């Protein structure tokens, strides 16, 4: 699923990027950008973000073309497959769909919750890795200071080294406490992810989603 999601994200890469250059704004296809925003459930603010970037270069945005493309994109988004794909990408709102089909909201929310739970779990795991790395570095620094202390005979330098040793040992203890806290957080995020995955699998089975090629290819 992660590989498939990566492909979905590529489609909306330009619309989501920050800081368009003047050259990019000069050749920007406003209708295509609107279509890309629409197929991921983007609202009118999608235009505002692009327009504000290109206005810096005195380039007049083409709202009519963007909105025309966005409406075309929404035709794709406002389908079970479209809502599913946009939700997996962590984007969009079914409030953009005329008619208020509750099944689209159910699909989109299940996919969105899955995407969010996956990101939160990944973030917690990355934080744990960082805490372990920082703890190990502090311990290595403490070992290095101890080695220097064994060779040092200058009282002033010994005092400085002992002060630095206490600092590094305290850092190591703090990072070890962070590690324990993060392990509990990971357990919570894993439970959240499991629930989100169960709900997404249920919705996929109910609506026959995610088993064929993306409708955007």
């Amino acid at each position: 699923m992660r590989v498939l999601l990566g492909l979905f994200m590529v489609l909306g890469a330009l619309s989501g990027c920050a800081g368009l250059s003047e050259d990019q704004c000069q050749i920007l296809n406003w209708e295509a950008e609107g279509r890309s925003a629409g197929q991921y459930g983007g609202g009118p603010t999608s235009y505002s973000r692009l327009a504000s970037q290109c206005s810096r270069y005195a380039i007049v945005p083409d709202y009519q073309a963007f909105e025309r493309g966005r409406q075309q994109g929404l035709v794709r988004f406002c389908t079970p497959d479209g809502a599913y794909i946009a939700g997996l990408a962590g984007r969009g709102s079914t409030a953009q769909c005329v008619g208020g089909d509750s099944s689209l909201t159910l699909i989109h929310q299940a996919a969105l919750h899955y995407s969010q739970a996956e990101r939160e779990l990944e973030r917690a795991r990355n934080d744990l890795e960082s805490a372990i790395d920082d703890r190990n570095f502090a311990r290595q620094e403490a070992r290095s200071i101890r080695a220097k202390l064994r060779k040092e005979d200058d009282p002033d330098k010994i005092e400085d080294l002992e002060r630095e040793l206490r600092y590094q040992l305290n850092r190591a203890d703090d990072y070890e406490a962070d590690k324990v806290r993060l392990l509990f957080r990971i357990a919570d995020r894993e439970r959240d992810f499991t629930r989100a995955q169960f709900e997404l699998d249920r919705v996929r089975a109910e609506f026959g989603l995610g088993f064929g090629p993306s409708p955007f290819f």
Side-chain angles (χ1 to χ4, degrees), residues 47-198:
Y47 166 82
S48 300
R49 286 193 295 270
L50 283 175
S52 65
Q53 294 177 47
C54 292
S55 294
R56 294 177 300 179
Y57 310 113
I59 294 173
V60 180
D62 190 340
Y63 173 77
Q64 295 300 326
F66 184 92
E67 186 60 20
R68 183 168 59 250
R70 192 177 74 87
Q71 292 301 323
Q72 293 169 1
L74 284 175
V75 171
R76 291 183 170 182
F77 170 72
C78 297
T79 65
D81 281 327
Y84 171 70
I85 289 169
L88 286 181
R91 296 173 62 181
S93 168
T94 53
Q96 302 301 320
C97 300
V98 178
D101 187 340
S102 60
S103 65
L104 294 181
T105 300
L106 177 66
I107 292 166
H108 184 259
Q109 287 298 309
L112 187 63
H113 289 162
Y114 174 89
S115 174
Q116 292 169 339
E118 184 177 43
R119 287 198 304 273
E120 288 299 320
L121 176 56
E122 189 67 22
R123 184 178 295 115
R125 287 172 173 169
N126 289 338
D127 288 345
L128 175 62
E129 275 189 37
S130 295
I132 291 173
D133 288 344
D134 290 338
R135 180 206 61 186
N136 291 343
F137 179 78
R139 288 177 175 177
Q140 178 61 40
E141 288 292 293
R143 285 192 291 269
S144 176
I145 293 168
R146 285 193 178 105
K148 291 178 182 178
L149 276 169
R150 287 193 291 269
K151 300 176 183 178
E152 188 57 65
D153 54 11
D154 184 314
D156 290 336
K157 291 183 178 179
I158 288 174
E159 184 179 353
D160 290 341
L161 287 169
E162 287 178 339
R163 187 183 302 110
E164 179 64 19
L165 177 60
R166 288 192 297 271
Y167 171 73
Q168 293 297 343
L169 290 174
N170 286 336
R171 288 183 72 223
D173 288 344
D174 288 343
Y175 288 128
E176 179 64 19
D178 284 345
K179 187 196 81 169
V180 174
R181 176 181 57 81
L182 286 164
L183 285 170
F184 281 107
R185 195 173 106 194
I186 286 173
D188 288 340
R189 297 299 175 264
E190 286 176 340
R191 283 191 291 271
D192 292 342
F193 178 73
T194 298
R195 285 194 291 267
Q197 189 170 38
F198 177 82

